[in-house]
Amino acid sequence: MDTDEAAHRLQLLLKEFTIPARRPGDGRTGTRAHPPVPLNLAVIDHITASVVEVAEHARAAAPDAGPLPAAPAGIYDWWRQSTPDLDEGAVQARETVIYRQGLEHAIAAGDHKVIRKHPCPACGTWGLFWRAAAQRAVCVNQDCTDTKGMARTWELKQLAHEHIAARQRTLKANAT
């Protein structure tokens, strides 16, 4: 997943997943005192939290950054444009947050396959899957266990950090 895909996934969430899901049934419901909420509030909260996190990081690095973009999906380009002179470590941190948020957007949209595209940081196998209850990626390699003998689990920020670091190593190796 390209880091610009985070903006696409955020836009997809905004357009497609803010409409409340219909509940299965025969169409008959009890009388309501109030109509249902016209938006999926969990998705709206997710989008808002993502924008706020990016804005806080951007303003910490560039307090004079301009106003936030009107469209939430423009937040990542805005962050990059507001912080063009970051050192290498800060660029890696910025791109890691953007990539992690892209993974979060995909999972919020129900696309758990994005996790399978990452190798396990411990053993390097391609056996990760998303465990929704734990909100973590889990390695299915039977030899990849923690000190208690349990399958290793990874937070999205760890997967994002590994992905961005590997990409930067590749870019440096190819630049010579």
Side-chain angles (χ1 to χ4, degrees):
M1 177 175 72
D2 188 289
T3 55
D4 290 333
E5 206 168 321
H8 172 73
R9 290 185 187 282
L10 184 60
Q11 187 65 29
L12 177 70
L13 277 175
L14 190 61
K15 284 185 176 182
E16 301 294 331
F17 291 90
T18 54
I19 299 170
R22 292 199 51 153
R23 294 190 177 118
D26 62 3
R28 296 180 296 175
T29 59
T31 304
R32 295 182 182 159
H34 302 286
V37 177
L39 299 172
N40 184 330
L41 296 179
V43 173
I44 296 297
D45 289 345
H46 169 81
I47 291 169
T48 302
S50 298
V51 170
V52 167
E53 179 186 13
V54 168
E56 287 174 353
H57 283 295
R59 297 222 187 271
D64 59 341
L68 295 175
I75 194 77
Y76 303 115
D77 284 337
W78 172 82
W79 190 7
R80 288 181 179 118
Q81 292 168 3
S82 298
T83 56
D85 300 323
L86 296 177
D87 63 33
E88 186 177 331
V91 168
Q92 181 176 354
R94 178 187 68 201
E95 295 305 313
T96 298
V97 169
I98 293 171
Y99 191 82
R100 175 187 47 81
Q101 284 196 1
L103 293 173
E104 290 171 351
H105 302 332
I107 289 169
D111 181 9
H112 300 169
K113 292 179 184 176
V114 295
I115 299 304
R116 294 199 157 284
K117 297 176 183 177
H118 298 85
C120 174
C123 68
T125 61
W126 297 91
L128 293 180
F129 72 94
W130 183 247
R131 183 176 287 164
Q135 292 293 293
R136 294 171 72 92
V138 179
C139 183
V140 296
N141 181 352
Q142 292 178 348
D143 297 325
C144 187
T145 58
D146 62 15
T147 56
K148 297 177 183 176
M150 303 294 291
R152 289 188 192 265
T153 62
W154 306 97
E155 293 180 345
L156 292 178
K157 68 181 179 181
Q158 293 167 304
L159 295 181
H161 175 76
E162 292 291 327
H163 178 82
I164 297 300
R167 186 173 67 190
Q168 287 183 338
R169 285 191 301 271
T170 301
L171 288 174
K172 281 184 184 179
N174 291 338
T176 57

